[in-house]
Amino acid sequence: MKVEFSYVILLLLMILESCHNATDDQVVKIADNDSLKELYLKDLEIRELDSKTDTVNLENYDKVHRAKVFEWLANNQIKTPMDKYRAALILQHT
């Protein structure tokens, strides 16, 4: 009985160790979409300029920005939480 218990403990330790290593080796970092980041910053810049001067035709910019965001969504290029936040903000402005 004592030998069986030792084997069970050893087996459990081996299983736990193999699970730990598998998850550490398989972590994949997904980078933010740089093009979306640029579009997001441009969107903020245009809105700030419009709030100061009231001379920017936002509708023209919004149409182009919306089309790009929908294209990236259709092509699964918006993946990270920050990408989704930026895309939502751009679409919210349209």
Side-chain angles (χ1 to χ4, degrees):
M1 186 74 163
K2 187 176 183 180
V3 173
E4 289 177 16
F5 182 72
S6 296
Y7 284 127
V8 169
I9 295 295
L10 181 61
L11 181 62
L12 286 174
L13 289 173
M14 289 172 46
I15 291 171
L16 287 174
E17 181 62 27
S18 68
C19 291
H20 175 70
N21 288 339
T23 56
D24 287 347
D25 294 341
Q26 296 175 357
V27 173
V28 176
K29 291 269 187 178
I30 299 173
D32 291 338
N33 182 325
D34 289 332
S35 299
L36 178 61
K37 182 178 179 180
E38 289 175 21
L39 190 67
Y40 165 79
L41 294 173
K42 178 78 171 173
D43 189 75
L44 294 178
E45 180 184 322
I46 290 167
R47 291 186 188 286
E48 185 177 332
L49 177 64
D50 184 60
S51 70
K52 291 177 181 176
T53 63
D54 198 30
T55 60
V56 180
N57 185 354
L58 295 174
E59 190 174 322
N60 293 336
Y61 288 104
D62 288 344
K63 192 180 295 185
V64 172
H65 292 182
R66 181 175 53 244
K68 286 183 180 180
V69 169
F70 283 141
E71 178 185 336
W72 290 326
L73 283 167
N75 293 324
N76 198 29
Q77 294 175 324
I78 296 177
K79 298 179 180 180
T80 67
M82 185 54 76
D83 284 348
K84 292 173 185 178
Y85 169 79
R86 290 174 177 146
L89 188 95
I90 291 169
L91 292 177
Q92 181 264 335
H93 287 154
T94 63

